[in-house]
Amino acid sequence: MASDYDLTQRIAAHLDRHMVFPLLQWLQERGLYPEEDILKAKIELLNATNMVDYAVDMHKALYHTEEVSQEMVERRAQVVARMKQLEDAASPITKFLQNPNATQELRNDKQYSLQLLHDKYQIGPEQIEALYHCGKFQFECGNYTTAADYLYQYRTFCTNPEKSLTALWGKLAAEILMKHWDIALEELNRLKEIIDSKSFSSPLNQVQSRIWLMHWSLFVFFNHDNGKTLIIDLFNQDKYLNAIQTNAPHLLRYLAAAFVVNKRKRPQFKEFIKVIQQEAYSSKDPITEFLACVFVNYDFDGAHKKMRECEEVILNDPFLGMRVGEGSFTTVPLRDEFLENARLFIFETYCRIHQRIEMRVLAEKLNLKFEEAEAWIVNLIRTSKLDAKIDSKTGTVTMEPHHVDVYEQLIDHTKTLSNRTYKLVSQLLEHGQPQAIR
Amino acid sequence: GDSETEEESDYDEQEDNVAAETAVQTAASRYYTRDSSDSEDSERQGRVIRRIKDKRFDEMTATVDHMKNAMKINDWVSLQENFEKINKQLGKVMRVTEADRPPNIYIRSLVMLEEFLNQSLANKEAKKKMSSTNAKALNSMKQKLKKNNRLYEDLIVQCMEKPELFEDQGEDEKEPEEEEEEEEVVEDDFDDASEPGEDEEDEEEEGDDGAETGPGWEKMLSKKDKMLDKQFKDASQITWDIVNKKFKEIVAARGKKGTGRIELVEQLTFLTRVARTPAQKLEILFSVVSAQFDVNPSLIGHMPINVWKQCVQNLLTILDILTQYPNIVVDDTVEPDENETQKGAGYSGSIKIWGNLVAFLERIDVEYFKSLQVIDPHTHEYVDRLKDEPLFLVLAQDVQEYLENIGDYKGASKIALKRVELVYYKPQGVYGAMKNLAAQEENEEGNSTEVSKPEQITKAPSAYVATPELVARKPTFPESSRALMDDLVSLIYKFGDERTKARAMLCDIYHHAILDDFSTSRDLLLMSHLQENVQHMDISTQILFNRAMAQLGLCAFRVGLVAESHSCLAELYSVGRVKELLAQGISQSRYHEKTPEQERLERRRQMPYHMHINLELLEAVHLTAAMLLEVPNMAANVHDAKRKVISKNFRRLLEVSERQTYIGPPENVRDHVMAATVALRQGDFEKAFAVIESLDVWRLLQHKDDVLKMLKAKIKEEALRTYLFTYSYSYDSVSLEHLSKMFDLLESQTHSIVSRMMINEELHASWDQPTGCVVFHDVEHTRLQGLAFQLSEKLAILAETNERAMEARFGTGGLEGLPLRRKDGYDYAASGGGRWQDLSFPQDRQGGQVARRGYNAGGGGGGRVSSSSSSGANNRRGGSSAGRNFGTQMDGSTNRMGMVYLNRG
């Protein structure tokens, strides 16, 4: 049941091989799938990488043997040999980079640096390319630190924008895998800029890049402190939303979750509800369905049910269900936040259309106990988020009727008019002047 | 004329043959008939004694004699007549003799004429004496002769120098003729005896003929063919040159006056059998096909069906050859070398042949389409014709495969479009039927091969270059039509040109709509931006667009999206020319008469009957959708009903029906919907539904019951809404239970509907949860307040108009205060393709994102004009503008069509 809403398969298609490991690890912990299947999947993954040692361990764990197939041993030897070869090729430049005195001679000017390297240290384009290959190989072997280092250095010397871009992707992946979220975020923004500005060979490529970027960014956003705001900033841009709608509707879950927990983004939220309504046919996800129940169908019982499903989904999602552990006590911060806000959503909408509600029903709707609900409502009234009173004798909440004043409405309607007209006139004058001079 | 009869007789004979083998019992009677035919033939034989060539020559000599006589009496008028006559005869003689120079007798007469003319001109006195008509004739003769003689200058000079040479030659010419005649006699003997040692070519025709009808019959009817046969009598003597020469000759005759079109086809077909090399055969086959296209000269009529079928077979043979010899290349851009086709089958280099498979196939398609347009759809003929569709599909499939193999994807995509256009309008059921038909035919073919074998055997050796049937003769269909469409369409998106892609996209939309896949088909429509571009396309594509829109509307209705359905269909009905817009009949316009030219053009655009979208159903859907939207809308805005009109068309009809003093029982779709409207306005959902349900057209829907169930639910909902709008003022509170019971709805449904109305501020009320009641608030605006609101809205419109005027004058600079609608409109115009982009459509990058916004608005507009105006006036405006955008497009297309009439008329 729970695996129905598991997105790993769909997400993994847009990730780098190495980034799938954490996801599989997560699945293993959650126990949604048979352990053996996951181990097999892991080995499958590893076979295409150069992390041979790790693969050997996995193999042992899966088949409970100490024997290692000949193939793997051979492969290990190959990998080591290849690594050696690449290291050798890149050695001039790595040596140069390790020498702090030498690196000080470098300047911000790329051309200058290249010239310097060439003249003084006999480091030509071949060596620089070797650095790139070496970095890539290190990454494939799982040495993310070295890889990130090499790729960073490579980018300072690189003149080929294509190569530079792939190096950047590599760097981002390495940072993500090392869980350096701040640096990863920087890289992410850099990458985003390039993707948005660059004239791609085909629009299709661009859309694909955006989708990759969004998938990769999930790692960053759900680990970074400010991630829940940033994810909305990124995903809710027209271009990215467009990409989501066309190619990756499953990402709507994350955007929806981010919207729910984020109170500051209400204006965009309304627009987002519309998107959800449109995409309702293409993606079945408890979180988006919850929003649809509350804001489109006003089906509060349905919303109530969906809320439970949402909880499960959040717990099982590798990004949303991130655990925060304090000693032996672990919490899922996002779950709590989500449920709290979801409750508020239901309540707000519910209150808008009622003038009197029984506390008992309300408590039920909010997944709370009676006392809890009362306390919760009192809190809301106290913080003046709610214009209501509790009638404790009958056990009901009575809303104060709220009518928008007619005059306010009228002023609202006409307020912008003068501004607009003023603008228009000034523009007209602007246009008029040059002609008058002529 | 004659060739056709020959064909018939051939056909009869074949039948006879078959009959002979199958039914021996009837031999006696058959013998009798044969006898009778024999006697007939012998009579004819008696009549036909002189050979046509001689006859022609005699005619000519007679004319020359006449001319001589006329000269003697100096009668220029009759001379002129005779001169014209002899020229006509010349043409005939030339054709008969197949000579490349005119006969000597003609040249001699020319020389004679010229001499006489010069004499007469020199003799001025005689000239003066002539009557005026005679003089006139003389003058015109002078000019004509001059002109005519220029053609034969060399010969005339020769003749003048050595007249005796021409005399001699003339006699020489006689000799081979006689020889020929002798030969023929010998041959006839053979024929009569029907010996096995006959020539190949004659075998199939004359072998049978000889036995049954006699040679004379044959001779009289197809002299041409006989002549050909004679030239290619001896198989071993036929060389490439001979065939080539003959071929050129025949082709040269094409299009000339007096050349029978069908005759031409037959001659060429014969040539294909004796062609020496595959390349040559191919070249000739191409000519056969083009000659077949010429059989029907007029634009309106269609190609005879049997010719069409032959044509398809010929094309299949062409494909056979092309597949067999991959080194032969078909190209229509380069002028091929004269002797290109001389290269034999063994030649390994590439051979270029002139031809264009794509154009041929398209032409075949056009002819098929035309035939369906012309044939009366209520006859068996039409059904039979429809059964030819698999035949065309297989050809298209083969051509496409061939083109793909040689890497011509552009051509392949065009062919794919043709296939798409045959499939897109078929629901799965019809598609399955077609598939079964194809399979069935295959079985039948299997059975009938045994019967038709003898015929094939006699025919087989006749072709010098035998071509095995390499390409498939049966179409292969995937299980579902969708799969086929997907295949073809993705090919087109990848390689097709702009128009092909647009058409394929429209077909795709149409097909998705048929399969009730509304969201996909809407996405395709919005992202392809066809709505903006369709005005610039040709009329046939615009019609396709209209059809797709209509189908989309039907689809939306079937899946229960009433508002979307209405916005798709509204514009189609706004002008009242649905028939014309869908090309399903010619509507009479009251206001302007069409010229015959316009009418003819329109007739040529008509859709064949089997592709029609049922207009009655369309109208029912449109009006029902309009009713569901408009009735609560009218109830909500009782005070200024004119302001928010969703369907003008519906309002107008309602007005008309209200004006009637006596309303009879409903007869047509319109009456039904009007009756339902009246009931619905009173909240009587049961009656409303009953009236709508009684419409007969719903039976055309595939899931009729589901649709009606949906319709009932919708009617209940709208009845509830209407009721609340109308009577909420009279209540202080209503219980949920009561409402649910009244409208036969579940409490949860009622709750959801009423809640939505509250949130959208359509209904000023709130729930009282403990008692389960709706409590109405009294928030009626006073008259003054209402007027103030109206004023403010008018002001907003004024400001907007100003901005638009400004924009029109100076272009869209940085007007930030632009209202949403304008921005949207601008985006539509400026943006490229959304989904197209994903289909690797080279478009401006900017397009995609902007497109999406347009798309959002479009979806919103379609979806929630009535149901959610929660996000305020701004949103609603955005929505309705998008809805209108659906509209303006259609509007544009209609205008465009009107304009086209004017231009061409």
Side-chain angles (χ1 to χ4, degrees), chain A residues 88-184:
Chain A
D88 287 347
S91 65
I93 193 160
T94 44
K95 265 187 206 134
F96 162 77
L97 292 169
Q98 272 153 14
N99 179 0
N101 292 334
T103 41
Q104 265 173 11
E105 290 177 49
L106 293 176
R107 289 193 206 162
N108 253 345
D109 186 357
K110 208 177 251 180
Q111 284 307 324
Y112 173 82
S113 306
L114 284 177
Q115 195 62 38
L116 181 92
L117 281 181
H118 188 72
D119 295 345
K120 208 165 173 187
Y121 300 94
Q122 284 79 46
I123 296 172
E126 297 90 46
Q127 277 80 14
I128 295 179
E129 281 306 293
L131 189 66
Y132 170 76
H133 289 295
C134 195
K136 186 161 181 276
F137 201 77
Q138 289 285 5
F139 180 80
E140 279 169 10
C141 293
N143 301 334
Y144 303 126
T145 329
T146 334
D149 224 28
Y150 282 179
L151 289 174
Y152 173 73
Q153 301 292 5
Y154 173 74
R155 275 179 48 75
T156 54
F157 299 121
C158 175
T159 47
N160 180 355
E162 292 285 319
K163 272 279 178 62
S164 171
L165 186 63
T166 47
L168 195 54
W169 281 106
K171 177 93 188 329
L172 174 61
E175 297 296 347
I176 287 174
L177 288 165
M178 286 187 299
K179 308 196 175 171
H180 294 163
W181 306 121
D182 283 326
I183 305 174

Side-chain angles (χ1 to χ4, degrees), chain A residues 245 281 353 355 358 427, chain B residues 523 767-769 815 852:
Chain A
Q245 280 179 293
Y281 64 87
I353 56 169
Q355 71 168 25
E358 266 181 82
Q427 229 165 12
Chain B
D523 284 2
W767 292 104
D768 188 55
Q769 194 259 328
L815 276 186
R852 198 67 200 190

Side-chain angles (χ1 to χ4, degrees), chain B residues 362 410 413-414 417-418 421 492-493 495-507 530 536-542 544 836 841:
Chain B
E362 279 176 343
K410 221 167 157 74
S413 69
K414 275 188 184 149
L417 177 68
K418 291 290 154 208
E421 282 179 3
I492 296 173
Y493 291 155
F495 301 106
D497 58 28
E498 207 74 1
R499 179 176 183 270
T500 316
K501 269 199 277 197
R503 284 190 77 94
M505 180 63 88
L506 287 170
C507 292
L530 282 167
H536 310 300
M537 295 184 188
D538 54 325
I539 296 182
S540 132
T541 310
Q542 288 181 2
L544 188 60
W836 292 78
F841 185 61

Side-chain angles (χ1 to χ4, degrees), chain B residues 274-438:
Chain B
V274 295
R276 290 292 101 175
T277 63
Q280 189 176 34
K281 182 168 178 184
L282 198 63
E283 191 180 14
I284 300 172
L285 267 174
F286 273 125
S287 305
V288 175
V289 174
S290 11
Q292 279 171 331
F293 285 140
D294 281 351
V295 166
N296 167 47
S298 92
L299 267 171
I300 295 157
H302 62 93
M303 192 164 157
I305 289 165
N306 54 348
V307 177
W308 186 86
K309 281 183 183 160
Q310 279 170 17
C311 198
V312 172
Q313 293 305 336
N314 282 333
L315 275 172
L316 284 171
T317 319
I318 287 176
L319 284 175
D320 283 335
I321 297 175
L322 286 173
T323 332
Q324 197 183 1
Y325 305 99
N327 57 334
I328 300 180
V329 181
V330 178
D331 199 341
D332 65 340
T333 48
V334 280
E335 198 59 40
D337 189 15
E338 266 289 289
N339 298 329
E340 193 84 351
T341 56
Q342 198 165 9
K343 295 159 187 165
Y347 184 77
S348 58
S350 73
I351 306 174
K352 280 196 176 121
I353 304 280
W354 183 90
N356 187 345
L357 283 174
V358 179
F360 280 158
L361 192 94
E362 279 176 343
R363 183 70 198 271
I364 292 239
D365 178 56
V366 168
E367 293 295 344
Y368 181 68
F369 191 79
K370 270 203 281 190
S371 71
L372 285 171
Q373 278 179 327
V374 172
I375 299 170
D376 179 3
H378 303 291
T379 56
H380 279 295
E381 203 188 348
Y382 192 79
V383 180
D384 288 343
R385 187 65 181 143
L386 279 181
K387 284 183 189 156
D388 291 337
E389 204 170 74
L391 191 63
F392 175 74
L393 278 174
V394 72
L395 178 65
Q397 189 181 339
D398 290 338
V399 173
Q400 191 190 334
E401 267 166 27
Y402 172 74
L403 289 175
E404 276 174 36
N405 282 341
I406 63 166
D408 180 6
Y409 287 104
K410 221 167 157 74
S413 69
K414 275 188 184 149
I415 305 297
L417 177 68
K418 291 290 154 208
R419 291 174 71 194
V420 165
E421 282 179 3
L422 280 181
V423 176
Y424 78 93
Y425 57 87
K426 292 188 171 69
Q428 183 63 35
V430 179
Y431 178 81
M434 183 175 74
K435 202 169 155 242
N436 289 341
L437 177 73

Side-chain angles (χ1 to χ4, degrees), chain B residues 632-641 643-644 720-734 739 757 761-765 774-782 786:
Chain B
N633 179 41
M634 286 192 298
N637 303 298
V638 194
H639 300 302
D640 46 356
R643 210 151 51 99
K644 285 174 196 152
L720 169 65
R721 279 159 51 80
T722 314
Y723 179 81
L724 286 177
F725 280 134
T726 320
Y727 298 109
S728 64
Y729 305 111
S730 328
Y731 288 95
D732 200 25
S733 67
V734 186
L739 276 179
M757 288 172 77
E761 286 165 10
E762 291 169 328
L763 190 66
H764 301 286
V774 189
V775 180
F776 296 99
H777 305 301
D778 187 25
V779 282
E780 246 325 82
H781 292 161
T782 62

Side-chain angles (χ1 to χ4, degrees), chain A residues 155 165 168-169 172 184-200 206 209-214 216-217 221 229-241, chain B residues 845:
Chain A
R155 275 179 48 75
L165 186 63
L168 195 54
W169 281 106
L172 174 61
L185 189 63
E186 271 172 37
E187 302 295 342
L188 194 72
N189 286 333
R190 206 167 290 153
L191 205 50
K192 175 177 176 285
E193 244 166 62
I194 295 177
I195 290 174
D196 286 346
S197 65
K198 202 170 162 235
S199 47
F200 269 79
Q206 198 177 22
S209 302
R210 289 210 174 107
I211 286 178
W212 282 335
L213 188 73
M214 282 189 281
W216 291 29
S217 70
F221 288 143
T229 315
L230 292 173
I231 190 175
I232 296 177
D233 290 345
L234 178 71
F235 282 27
N236 209 34
Q237 282 179 27
D238 273 346
K239 298 173 207 171
Y240 288 84
L241 202 55
Chain B
R845 201 152 53 86

